[in-house]
Amino acid sequence: MSTAPDSTAPDGTVLAAGCVLWRRSPQTAGGIEICLVHRPRYDDWSHPKGKLKRGEPALEGALREVREETGHQGVPGPVLPTVRYLAAGRPKQVSYWAAEAPSPGDFTPGHEVDRIAWLPPDAARRRITEPRDRTLVDALLKAIDTH
């Protein structure tokens, strides 16, 4: 983890990026599983994401966050919708990509993420804490043309 300053837009919006990390299901032929991360600080389940470092390209930051939070090397795919919301009273903008996890990762629990879960899309939708993050499951399915 770098101590470089976070990136903000000229209007003060906090810039972040993440991925909807997915893999082909080892249990279901033709099915997929989505990786969710549990953040103990918020006791929530979400997609891997985080603030960009100053000057860091969004896709690079998204893939960095996937590595840091899940131990997986995501292979970037289609761009997914950008999510905007208020966090601690400040506007935040999170750019997302689909990213496939083609091989096993090496997850290590930490203070930011203590657990990950690989779930089929319907179960992932139910587990995700914030409704705004649930829409990204549908965007992923449409982007990779899988149901």
Side-chain angles (χ1 to χ4, degrees), residues 63-120:
L63 295 173
R64 174 183 51 77
E65 288 292 337
V66 165
R67 278 189 313 276
E68 289 176 359
E69 294 186 356
T70 72
H72 285 271
Q73 296 289 337
V75 176
V79 174
L80 298 177
T82 296
V83 177
R84 293 172 179 83
Y85 56 97
L86 288 178
R90 291 184 65 194
K92 187 170 187 177
Q93 175 179 301
V94 187
S95 301
Y96 280 99
W97 283 264
E100 185 174 3
S103 58
D106 187 22
F107 173 70
T108 303
H111 71 281
E112 286 188 32
V113 173
D114 62 351
R115 291 180 277 163
I116 64 172
W118 286 99
L119 301 168

Side-chain angles (χ1 to χ4, degrees), residues 2-146:
S2 169
T3 58
D6 296 332
S7 185
T8 55
D11 67 358
T13 298
V14 175
L15 301 176
C19 292
V20 178
L21 186 64
W22 67 279
R23 69 181 181 190
R24 301 197 186 282
S25 173
Q27 283 83 32
T28 309
I32 68 164
E33 295 175 332
I34 295 171
C35 183
L36 299 180
V37 299
H38 180 262
R39 301 179 307 165
R41 177 179 178 190
Y42 303 105
D43 190 23
D44 70 353
W45 287 93
S46 64
H47 303 289
K49 66 180 177 301
K51 295 175 190 169
L52 296 174
K53 308 290 184 215
R54 184 168 291 147
E56 181 178 40
L59 178 56
E60 184 179 308
L63 295 173
R64 174 183 51 77
E65 288 292 337
V66 165
R67 278 189 313 276
E68 289 176 359
E69 294 186 356
T70 72
H72 285 271
Q73 296 289 337
V75 176
V79 174
L80 298 177
T82 296
V83 177
R84 293 172 179 83
Y85 56 97
L86 288 178
R90 291 184 65 194
K92 187 170 187 177
Q93 175 179 301
V94 187
S95 301
Y96 280 99
W97 283 264
E100 185 174 3
S103 58
D106 187 22
F107 173 70
T108 303
H111 71 281
E112 286 188 32
V113 173
D114 62 351
R115 291 180 277 163
I116 64 172
W118 286 99
L119 301 168
D122 287 342
R125 234 185 250 104
R126 288 190 301 272
R127 176 84 55 101
I128 292 169
T129 304
E130 290 293 333
R132 65 178 170 257
D133 292 336
R134 293 183 190 129
T135 62
L136 292 165
V137 173
D138 298 321
L140 170 74
L141 295 175
K142 184 176 179 183
I144 64 174
D145 199 33
T146 296

